Amino acid sequence: GTVSKDTGFRATGNEPGWMAQVTAGASPSLHAEIDYGERKFDISPVAEQADGWTGKSSDGTAIVLKFERRACQDSMSGQAFEAAATLTVGDRSYQGCGKFNPQ
């Protein structure tokens, strides 16, 4: 299934803490923070794919946010999410959970 163009997506993970958020709209942008917010990325626009988004940061680092539509549980809080998420920054990958249309 494809993501409708008006869908935003937010993902978070732990150890080290990270988050990523994709804005809704025709030309989505990606905001990501890794290593407890020590590194931040803002990429606009990002390329939309069937299972996520890809882009490059201002310094050329490849950044990919992918999702799988399956039940996912936060490793620290135990909160349930509707998707599993993987954020890849360069050669490092971060695992976590995500949700669509975050409020």
Side-chain angles (χ1 to χ4, degrees), residues 43-54:
I43 304 163
S44 180
V46 286
E48 193 166 16
Q49 301 181 324
D51 63 347
W53 299 266
T54 65

Side-chain angles (χ1 to χ4, degrees), residues 3 7-13 18-23 28-34 43 46-56 61-68 83-90 92-100 102:
V3 177
T7 301
F9 183 71
R10 178 180 170 91
T12 56
W18 65 273
M19 65 81 65
Q21 184 156 349
V22 178
T23 58
S29 61
L30 170 69
H31 173 77
E33 299 180 9
I34 60 173
I43 304 163
V46 286
E48 193 166 16
Q49 301 181 324
D51 63 347
W53 299 266
T54 65
K56 275 195 164 62
T61 302
I63 299 186
V64 182
L65 177 62
K66 289 194 169 181
F67 63 82
E68 288 179 67
T86 304
L87 175 69
T88 303
V89 179
R92 291 188 65 185
S93 287
Y94 301 82
Q95 305 294 324
C97 300
K99 64 186 294 187
F100 296 93

Side-chain angles (χ1 to χ4, degrees), residues 22-42:
V22 178
T23 58
S27 57
S29 61
L30 170 69
H31 173 77
E33 299 180 9
I34 60 173
D35 300 331
Y36 303 102
E38 283 184 19
R39 295 177 70 193
K40 294 183 172 69
F41 303 94
D42 283 288

